[in-house]
Structure formats: C-alpha cells, structure tokens
Amino acid sequence: MPACAGEIPLAMNPEPQVVEVSLQSDLKSVEAAEELAEDVCTKAGFDDEDLHKIGMAVHESVINAIWHGNKNDASKRVWLRFQIHPDRVEIHIRDQGSGFEPGRIPDPLESENLLKSSGRGIFLIRSFVDEFRVENLKGLGTEVILVKRRNSKEKKEA
Amino acid sequence: MSMKAKTRRVDSVTVVDITGRITLGEDLTELRQLIRNLLAQGDKSILLNLADVTYIDSSGIGELVSGFTAASNQGGQLKLLNLTKKVRDLLQITKLLTVFDVYEDEARAVGSFRKATGA
Ligand SMILES: Nc1ncnc2c1ncn2[C@@H]1O[C@H](COP(=O)(O)OP(=O)(O)O)[C@@H](O)[C@H]1O
Ligand SMILES: [Mg+2]
C-alpha cells in the first residue's frame, strides 16, 4: 500500500480518505466550499459545534484565496482538499497567488485595530481550528492548511 | 439563505431587523447603504436587531464595526439587540463586546438612546 508523500507508512495509520474539488474564483464558490466542508465533516463524525467552526474557517480561507491570493482573477482557481484521518481532518486551500507571511498580519485585538472594518479572518480561522499553516509553493501559489482534531477544544480566549 | 433587513421606528429610534446571513457579498453592500442612508437622513439612533441572524463572517463583523464608527462620527449611535450565541461568541473573541452597546430587551435598548440624546 503506497504511503502519502511526507508521511511515515504505518500499518496503524491507514491512508486518509481524500475529497478534492477545484473552484472558480467567484463568491458563489465560497458557499459551495463551506457546504462541502460541512458535508464531508458531518460524514467524518464531527459534532455541530465543530461543523460550524470548520465551515467558518473554510469560508474565510476560500474568501482569502479568491481575494488576496487570486485577486479576483476569474482565470485563476482555488483547490480545496479534505484529508480525513481517524483523529483529525486536514483541509488544504490552495490559490494561485504569491503568498503571505501570517506572522506579519496585524493583531485585530490591539486597540488601534479594534475599530478596523477588516483583518479578522485569519484570527477567526486560528481560533476555530487546532493548526493553521501557510505554505508558499514558490511560483505555484499558496496553500493554507487547517487541521481540526476530533473532540478537540478550540483555543480558549485568555 | 441570504440577508434581509427591514427598518421600523420605535420612538426616536430606528430598529433594523436583520435576518439570515451577514456575509461578504451584495447583501453586505446593501446593509452598508441602508445604514449610510439612515444617517444621511438624520436617523442617528440605530438599533440593529440580530435575533434572526444565523451566521456572520469576518466581513459582516467588519460591516457592524464600520456602521458603528460611521454613526459615532456623525454624532449618532449604533447599538446591537438580541445576539444569538454564535454572534455573541464571535464578538466576544474579537473583543468587540467591549466596543458595542448590547441589549437583550428592546424597550431597554430604545430607552438607552433617549437618555443618551437627552431628548
Ligand atoms: N491566500 C492569501 N494570499 C495572500 N495574502 C493573504 C491570503 N490570505 C490572507 N492574506 C493576507 O492576510 C491579511 C489578513 O487576512 P484576514 O485576516 O482574512 O483579513 P482581511 O481578509 O479582512 O484583510 C490579508 O489582508 C492579506 O494581506
Ligand atoms: Mg479575510
């Protein structure tokens, strides 16, 4: 049985189930992506509260991929991939943009940012999933990776 | 399941009953325009009733904030009524519960404006 690239082949670690779609850079894709996320994760056994969090994280990530990544260019696409593991779901959102440094994003909770009308998407995504990573694919676009564990508690607000 | 917003007048306060999803898209532009129009015509006490809002995203939250700032900048007030748990949680984690005046009772909310404007 071939293992996934980058993963140690363990008999105890079966291959993840994968669902993948390609989306147009269009606002309609956002709702479609969110519905798919909720669908896939319902079947994967996540509870209602987690489904809402996963749906919202995907919603915000796909909007960012379309707007900031693909700059609303209708000729560019967004790829959405779900990998369902026994203990978690991994969600990959890939665009055709030039990437970003998540460490450089202003903190929306700082008082000088509190009244800004934007800049809360990634903050919300981070608070809804267990892991958030950004991979710059060097000329091939940007991939945002979200990991949600089963029965996980989201990070609590301090 | 898109957003709908209807306005009604209670005393000197304009209550905006919003239903559905407050998310990025044309609906959001409409909500912005509605608030801007109210302010422009001098209706500066605005109460957004969010009881039937099923979902709000970061753009929707941003729109509430920009409505709040627009009202304040014009000597008005924009307040929130009846937050669902989801919306309350989002405003909580984004620290916006410290910014908005939030009410669970319409009469009390309406009364709070009267006091504030000294009418
Ligand atoms: N897929 C992406 N490609 C490039 N830049 C991005 C992407 N996602 C987010 N960003 C950058 O991160 C910033 C913060 O994103 P976010 O927190 O969602 O706030 P907003 O979308 O309201 O600006 C964006 O303004 C943008 O500069
Ligand atoms: Mg965003």
Side-chain angles (χ1 to χ4, degrees):
Chain A
M1 202 193 295
C4 279
E7 277 199 34
I8 305 158
L10 276 180
M12 300 297 291
N13 228 354
E15 302 234 340
Q17 208 185 319
V18 175
V19 176
E20 183 163 14
V21 288
S22 158
L23 302 164
Q24 274 180 301
S25 292
D26 178 316
L27 267 190
K28 282 195 200 102
S29 300
V30 178
E31 224 164 314
E34 200 177 331
E35 275 167 24
L36 180 63
E38 292 186 1
D39 216 53
V40 167
C41 295
T42 303
K43 293 197 180 101
F46 284 89
D47 66 24
D48 274 357
E49 208 179 320
D50 278 348
L51 288 175
H52 175 249
K53 287 175 182 155
I54 295 166
M56 186 135 188
V58 167
H59 173 100
E60 295 289 342
S61 303
V62 171
I63 288 178
N64 282 350
I66 294 172
W67 274 57
H68 302 301
N70 291 350
K71 312 268 183 224
N72 267 319
D73 180 342
S75 73
K76 293 186 173 169
R77 300 195 75 86
V78 173
W79 290 274
L80 176 64
R81 186 166 83 250
F82 300 88
Q83 297 180 351
I84 301 127
H85 300 260
D87 62 328
R88 68 189 190 279
V89 60
E90 251 185 62
I91 306 169
H92 298 241
I93 302 101
R94 182 166 148 201
D95 63 48
Q96 294 182 278
S98 45
F100 67 110
E101 251 326 309
R104 297 209 177 155
I105 293 167
D107 178 358
L109 302 187
E110 287 291 321
S111 53
E112 76 262 25
N113 297 329
L114 215 48
L115 289 180
K116 291 207 171 134
S117 62
S118 62
R120 297 182 179 86
I122 289 182
F123 172 82
L124 291 179
I125 296 168
R126 281 182 191 269
S127 62
F128 285 167
V129 297
D130 298 296
E131 271 179 53
F132 169 87
R133 299 199 302 275
V134 179
E135 280 177 17
N136 192 336
L137 305 175
K138 302 204 167 53
L140 292 171
T142 308
E143 188 156 285
V144 167
I145 300 156
L146 314 177
V147 179
K148 185 76 179 171
R149 292 184 209 292
R150 237 175 269 275
N151 302 320
S152 69
K153 290 270 172 278
E154 86 275 25
K155 282 175 266 164
K156 281 269 182 289
E157 170 64 0
Chain B
M1 211 191 12
S2 56
M3 191 202 81
K4 288 200 172 55
K6 278 194 192 138
T7 64
R8 61 194 160 88
R9 189 81 177 188
V10 183
D11 297 342
S12 59
V13 176
T14 305
V15 182
V16 186
D17 297 305
I18 304 176
T19 59
R21 296 163 54 105
I22 312 184
T23 57
L24 184 69
E26 280 166 33
D27 290 336
L28 211 56
T29 319
E30 262 172 52
L31 179 62
R32 177 181 318 161
Q33 204 51 54
L34 187 146
I35 294 171
R36 298 298 185 277
N37 289 347
L38 287 174
L39 293 171
Q41 70 196 33
D43 296 334
K44 294 186 176 173
S45 298
I46 302 171
L47 181 62
L48 302 184
N49 177 12
L50 305 183
D52 294 317
V53 170
T54 51
Y55 191 105
I56 187 165
D57 68 358
S58 72
S59 308
I61 294 172
E63 207 51 56
L64 298 184
V65 173
S66 91
F68 173 88
T69 337
S72 308
N73 288 344
Q74 298 183 42
Q77 285 178 298
L78 180 143
K79 304 187 181 194
L80 306 180
L81 175 66
N82 292 329
L83 305 185
T84 60
K85 185 180 181 300
K86 275 180 195 160
V87 173
R88 177 176 289 276
D89 286 350
L90 285 174
L91 294 185
Q92 167 88 51
I93 61 174
T94 52
K95 278 198 177 167
L96 290 169
L97 282 185
T98 65
V99 168
F100 287 105
D101 247 355
V102 178
Y103 293 86
E104 266 150 44
D105 180 86
E106 184 171 311
R108 279 196 55 209
V110 169
S112 76
F113 283 96
R114 246 199 317 266
K115 244 179 276 141
T117 54

